[in-house]
């Protein structure tokens, strides 16, 4: 029985910051951001949008009433949780109307959370082949104004339906993984923003990839020639490229060229949206499937998942017949083109906005006219609404 991704889609907020504008304001050569970092735009949520509303917006795009009935597992991977106790999944289950008979919880391990969710979902479907699992990654990447990480911010969610005989990608149950206690990137409970040892985090990321790359082929007794592409967690598009460059001396020239060319297809969405933290790898998968040319059924794609702190995993999936009919490229291009460009002043104002609770209450209403939104905080409790 094949198990894997049957449906996949993403949501990103309807406003963005142009990184050339940001570079000019920060007195930086724009080429540093667009070439050196490899990013063009970053999505920015409004104060009424958070990990819950973005997850619900993404899930809505892949679900219909018939699909909802079979879902028995809902996992949200996020490092932008809205509550130290209650899982985002409980709000989301309610908003999108999943049955009560759903096991719903949240997973945190930096940008690795959704991958942990997918692996749990895989095991769940293996034991319950008639049922399916909904895994959603949802995050707001925030480093703060005027920080080195500022240009690598972003926001959004990716929703994936995991089931038997999937229409898009059959996972191969061939993972290799590793974990270490590393201080490369973290966000303590007392801070709204992440802290990063930027250069060190790049080194750890590449080291994890290198070790897992070798371990993968050793464990599975295969070679790079069995794979058609390597997709990466993309905190910014230059990062995955740096990791891919590290295999140059391990593969022949033609294969290296092919992998590099395919990598370029996988970063198009991220360049225009920014870092989704745990969703970035899967946004890269959508970008790859929508933009790469000459893809074929049974192409085997390697995915490198990395969560700072640190946890890494490499696994693969095989492309399923008719995968293309289950993607939505035209809609994505339209949504991205219709986003509102914020000036740097508007971005900074929005960025500094705080939820100001007075006697346990705060009211904002629907700022976005989107289907799901945080309407208010009442008696210290978040109240979400749907149009
Ligand atoms: N034209 C073209 N390129 C230029 C340039 C110019 N005018 N000026 C500089 N560059 C290039 C530099 O040569 C450099 O390229 P290489 O990396 O290939 O050498 C690149 O632009 C970046 O320049 P700096 O290294 O000087 O950049 P920086 O010190 O401002 O910081 C950063 C870069 C460390 C990535 C920083 O943005 C950061 O801290 N980001 C957050 C941490 C991060 O994303 N880490 C990734 C691994 S951790 C992870 O993956 C988890 C996660 O999601 C966070």
């Amino acid at each position: 029985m094949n198990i894997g991704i049957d449906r996949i889609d993403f949501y990103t907020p309807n406003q963005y910051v142009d990184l050339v504008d940001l570079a000019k304001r920060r007195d930086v050569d724009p080429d540093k951001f667009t070439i050196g970092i490899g990013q063009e735009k970053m999505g920015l949520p409004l104060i009424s949008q958070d990990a819950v509303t973005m997850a619900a917006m993404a899930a809505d795009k892949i679900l219909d009433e018939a699909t909802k009935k079979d879902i028995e597992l809902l996992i949200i991977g996020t490092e932008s949780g809205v509550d130290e106790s209650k899982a985002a999944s409980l709000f989301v289950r309610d908003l999108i109307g999943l049955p009560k008979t759903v096991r719903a919880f949240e997973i945190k391990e930096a940008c690795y959370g959704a991958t942990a969710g997918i692996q749990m979902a895989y095991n769940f479907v293996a034991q319950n082949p008639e049922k399916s699992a909904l895994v959603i990654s949802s995050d707001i990447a925030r480093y703060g104004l005027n920080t080195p990480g500022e240009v690598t911010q972003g926001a959004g969610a990716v929703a994936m339906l995991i089931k038997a005989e999937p229409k898009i990608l059959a996972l191969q149950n061939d993972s290799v993984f590793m974990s270490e206690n590393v201080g490369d990137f973290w966000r303590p409970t007392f801070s709204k923003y992440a802290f990063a040892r930027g250069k060190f985090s790049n080194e750890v990321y590449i080291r994890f990839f290198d070790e897992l790359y070798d371990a993968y082929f050793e464990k599975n007794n295969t070679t790079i020639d069995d794979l058609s592409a390597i997709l990466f967690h993309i905190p910014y598009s230059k990062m995955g490229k740096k990791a891919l460059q590290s295999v140059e001396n391990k593969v022949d020239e033609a294969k290296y060229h092919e992998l590099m060319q395919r990598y370029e297809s996988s970063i198009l969405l991220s360049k225009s949206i920014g870092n989704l933290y745990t969703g970035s790898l899967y946004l890269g998968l959508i970008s790859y499937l929508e933009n790469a040319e000459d893809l074929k059924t049974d192409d085997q794609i390697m995915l490198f998942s990395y969560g700072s702190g640190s946890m890494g995993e490499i696994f693969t999936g095989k492309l399923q017949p008719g995968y293309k009919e289950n993607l939505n490229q035209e809609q994505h291009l339209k949504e991205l083109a219709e986003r509102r460009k914020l000036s740097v002043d508007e971005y900074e104002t929005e960025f500094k906005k705080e939820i100001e609770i007075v006697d346990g209450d705060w009211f904002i209403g629907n700022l976005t006219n989107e289907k799901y939104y945080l309407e208010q905080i009442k008696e210290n409790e978040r109240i979400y609404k749907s149009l």
Side-chain angles (χ1 to χ4, degrees), residues 29 32 36 111 143 148 199 201-202 233 235 238 242 275 308:
D29 178 355
K32 173 173 176 184
C111 305
Y143 293 88
K199 301 268 158 54
S201 70
N202 291 358
H233 163 55
K238 185 75 163 293
K242 277 171 183 277
N275 194 356
S308 288

Side-chain angles (χ1 to χ4, degrees), residues 18 32 50 62 72-73 88 114 126 154 185 236 250 257-258 261 271 275 287 313 325 341 361:
D18 187 296
K32 173 173 176 184
D50 61 21
I62 61 166
E72 277 199 354
L73 179 62
F185 167 103
Y236 57 96
K250 296 181 186 173
H257 179 71
E258 178 190 307
Q261 208 175 24
K271 278 179 150 186
N275 194 356
S287 182
E313 179 157 347
E325 287 92 73
K341 177 174 151 168
D361 294 343

Side-chain angles (χ1 to χ4, degrees), residues 1 124-132 163-164:
M1 175 176 64
F124 168 78
V125 175
Q127 287 172 353
N128 305 276
E130 303 302 318
K131 298 295 173 189
S132 48
K163 66 190 280 284

Side-chain angles (χ1 to χ4, degrees), residues 28-33 35-37 79 110-111 143 147-152 184-185 196-199 201-203 205 233-236 238-239 242 245 275 277 280 306-308:
V28 168
D29 178 355
D31 285 354
K32 173 173 176 184
F33 286 2
I35 301 169
I37 296 287
E79 53 185 300
C111 305
Y143 293 88
T147 59
E150 182 180 27
V151 60
T152 70
D184 65 331
F185 167 103
R197 296 193 171 103
K199 301 268 158 54
S201 70
N202 291 358
E203 283 166 29
Y205 176 113
H233 163 55
I234 312 168
Y236 57 96
K238 185 75 163 293
M239 184 69 249
K242 277 171 183 277
Q245 282 163 345
N275 194 356
Y277 284 161
S280 288
Y306 177 76
S308 288

Side-chain angles (χ1 to χ4, degrees), residues 306-363:
Y306 177 76
S308 288
S310 288
M311 177 69 217
E313 179 157 347
I314 281 183
F315 59 103
T316 73
K318 283 193 178 172
L319 213 49
Q320 297 303 288
Y323 74 91
K324 198 114 198 168
E325 287 92 73
N326 295 289
L327 300 171
N328 221 343
Q329 184 172 23
E330 241 169 71
Q331 177 66 17
H332 296 153
L333 292 172
K334 183 168 175 289
E335 284 167 2
L336 293 180
E338 287 173 353
R339 287 181 302 173
R340 189 168 79 84
K341 177 174 151 168
L342 299 175
S343 68
V344 177
D345 284 338
E346 285 174 309
Y347 151 63
E348 292 189 340
T349 305
E350 202 55 56
F351 196 92
K352 287 179 195 157
K353 278 188 187 159
E354 304 261 3
I355 290 178
E356 283 164 15
I357 300 171
V358 179
D359 296 333
D361 294 343
W362 171 82
F363 186 89

